[in-house]
Amino acid sequence: MNDVAIESDAQKLNKAIRNGDNTMLIKDEEIVRILTTRSKLHLEAVFKCYYDDFGKDIEEDLSEESGLKDTIYCLCAPPACFSKILDSAMKANVSKNEKEALTQVIVTQTDVDMKDITEEYNKQYGTPLAKKIEDVALGNYKDFLVTLVQRALAKGSE
């Protein structure tokens, strides 16, 4: 990896965060360019460099309202992020969009990292993901989601 590019990206992120509206950072062209054109390994190095240069994690410089904070969390720890999204989606009285996140995460991550997500979910919430889905979903929808999760687990253990 290119140390100069890593340092440059860390500096650019810090400058954008310091000078920008924290709630609009996700639309900052420089930030979007860095987050969408760099590899995961490069971004991990950038976030480490950010910490080394500025004495705190990039997430600490972002407000809770910042969509960028969630984006970086998901880039750095996808299983933990998706576990959190899944848990929120299965709570009582959630919005339609939050409920849809359950389907979106499971369908899009089944062939990617569902095994890691289910392990993280169990670790974070003390219950197997498939069991939680069985407790909150109904009928064919429940069967569909549980089947996808179980198939991903079986595939991951091959």
Side-chain angles (χ1 to χ4, degrees), residues 60 69 112 126 131:
E60 294 178 71
K69 189 171 194 163
V112 181
K131 171 75 172 107

Side-chain angles (χ1 to χ4, degrees), residues 11-129:
Q11 294 292 330
K12 288 174 185 174
L13 287 172
N14 181 262
K15 183 178 178 188
I17 290 167
R18 277 187 294 112
N19 297 331
D21 173 358
N22 225 333
T23 61
M24 299 301 288
L25 289 174
I26 197 71
K27 295 181 179 182
D28 182 282
E29 287 183 32
E30 191 67 20
I31 290 174
V32 170
R33 184 186 63 74
I34 291 169
L35 295 180
T36 59
T37 61
R38 304 298 194 248
S39 71
K40 183 174 179 176
L41 287 175
H42 179 89
L43 288 173
E44 288 171 352
V46 168
F47 299 145
K48 182 184 178 322
C49 181
Y50 189 100
Y51 179 83
D52 293 344
D53 288 356
F54 305 107
K56 54 184 158 179
D57 289 324
I58 190 169
E59 293 96 346
E60 294 178 71
D61 276 344
L62 300 169
S63 73
E64 290 301 319
E65 303 84 49
S66 174
L68 184 59
K69 189 171 194 163
D70 292 335
T71 301
I72 290 172
Y73 177 58
C74 197
L75 286 168
C76 293
C81 179
F82 287 129
S83 293
K84 183 178 173 184
I85 291 168
L86 289 170
D87 188 63
S88 293
M90 291 187 281
K91 291 189 185 303
N93 302 322
V94 296
S95 71
K96 183 180 179 210
N97 285 345
E98 288 172 308
K99 284 181 185 176
E100 288 175 357
L102 176 62
T103 307
Q104 290 171 340
V105 169
I106 291 176
V107 169
T108 61
Q109 299 306 304
T110 294
D111 291 331
V112 181
D113 58 0
M114 185 53 69
K115 183 178 183 301
D116 294 337
I117 293 168
T118 57
E119 289 171 359
E120 183 65 28
Y121 188 89
N122 191 18
K123 187 170 90 179
Q124 283 185 3
Y125 302 103
T127 241
L129 178 59

